[in-house]
């Protein structure tokens, strides 16, 4: 029939699945894991030091004391504990911290940042893991900022954020 839409036959679907499995097997044989980090952030911080940039924004981050406190500080500290890392904190403005993140000087930025952040074209954002009430009464999703291309690190952090949201800590 002219204009009729053809559906792939069963052998074509099976063939595509076989090819996909073959590619995944070849990648695994080469030692390539998915997701992976371009710069190896997850491997570097696991059992090491997690460098975290903080911008004050209570109740998420309060930097008025020697060590930062707040709900996001607690979550990041819990994540660090889960991967055997210690946390080193760097306080600064969002702009300064994004620059440090891009330069590879820090691994993560927190500070009550929301999913409508203007930095989304320069850094990776976690999925929104909680809602924050805005000054106008609306709500926005809270996110953390990570380096672009560090997908294994971002995935591990998001799994931790998911567990936190479900109270599995």
């Amino acid at each position: 029939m002219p204009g009729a839409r053809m559906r792939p036959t069963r052998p074509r679907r099976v063939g595509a699945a076989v090819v996909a499995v073959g590619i995944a097997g070849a990648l695994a044989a080469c030692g390539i894991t998915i997701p992976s980090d371009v710069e190896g952030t997850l491997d570097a911080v696991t059992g090491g030091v997690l460098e975290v940039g903080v911008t004050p924004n209570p109740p998420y981050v309060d930097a008025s004391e020697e060590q930062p406190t707040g709900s996001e500080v607690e979550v990041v500290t819990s994540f660090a504990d889960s991967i055997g890392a210690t946390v080193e904190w760097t306080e600064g403005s969002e702009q300064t911290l994004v620059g440090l993140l891009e330069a590879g000087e820090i691994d993560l930025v927190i500070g009550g940042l929301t999913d409508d952040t203007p930095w989304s074209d320069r850094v990776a954002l976690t999925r929104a893991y909680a809602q924050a009430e805005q000054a106008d009464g609306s709500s926005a999703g809270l996110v953390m900022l990570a380096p672009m291309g560090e997908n294994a690190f971002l995935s591990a952090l998001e799994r931790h954020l998911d567990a936190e949201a479900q109270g599995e800590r």
Side-chain angles (χ1 to χ4, degrees), residues 15-30:
V18 168
V19 168
V21 168
I23 289 171
L27 290 173
C30 294

Side-chain angles (χ1 to χ4, degrees), residues 8 10 38 44 59 62 97 102 119 134 147 149 157:
R10 184 173 203 72
V38 174
D62 183 346
L97 296 174
E102 289 177 310
W119 308 112
Q134 303 299 292
L157 177 58

Side-chain angles (χ1 to χ4, degrees), residues 39-105:
E39 299 294 328
T41 299
L42 184 59
D43 286 340
V45 300
T46 300
V49 177
L50 177 64
E51 301 276 351
V52 181
V54 296
T55 190
N57 187 0
Y60 312 106
V61 175
D62 183 346
S64 63
E65 301 294 324
E66 186 175 324
Q67 290 291 316
T69 59
S71 59
E72 286 189 331
V73 171
E74 291 174 12
V75 171
V76 168
T77 301
S78 171
F79 172 64
D81 289 346
S82 78
I83 59 172
T86 58
V87 181
E88 288 189 7
W89 307 100
T90 300
E91 184 181 344
S93 68
E94 287 181 33
Q95 182 173 351
T96 298
L97 296 174
V98 166
L100 291 172
L101 193 63
E102 289 177 310
E105 299 293 321

Side-chain angles (χ1 to χ4, degrees), residues 36-42 44-45 50-53 79 97-109 119-126 144-155 157:
S36 63
D37 288 339
V38 174
E39 299 294 328
T41 299
L42 184 59
V45 300
L50 177 64
E51 301 276 351
V52 181
F79 172 64
L97 296 174
V98 166
L100 291 172
L101 193 63
E102 289 177 310
E105 299 293 321
I106 59 176
D107 306 305
L108 186 64
V109 175
W119 308 112
S120 62
D121 61 337
R122 295 177 53 187
V123 298
L125 279 58
T126 62
M144 296 179 184
L145 309 181
M148 289 276 200
E150 300 306 285
N151 299 322
F153 174 72
L154 191 62
S155 292
L157 177 58

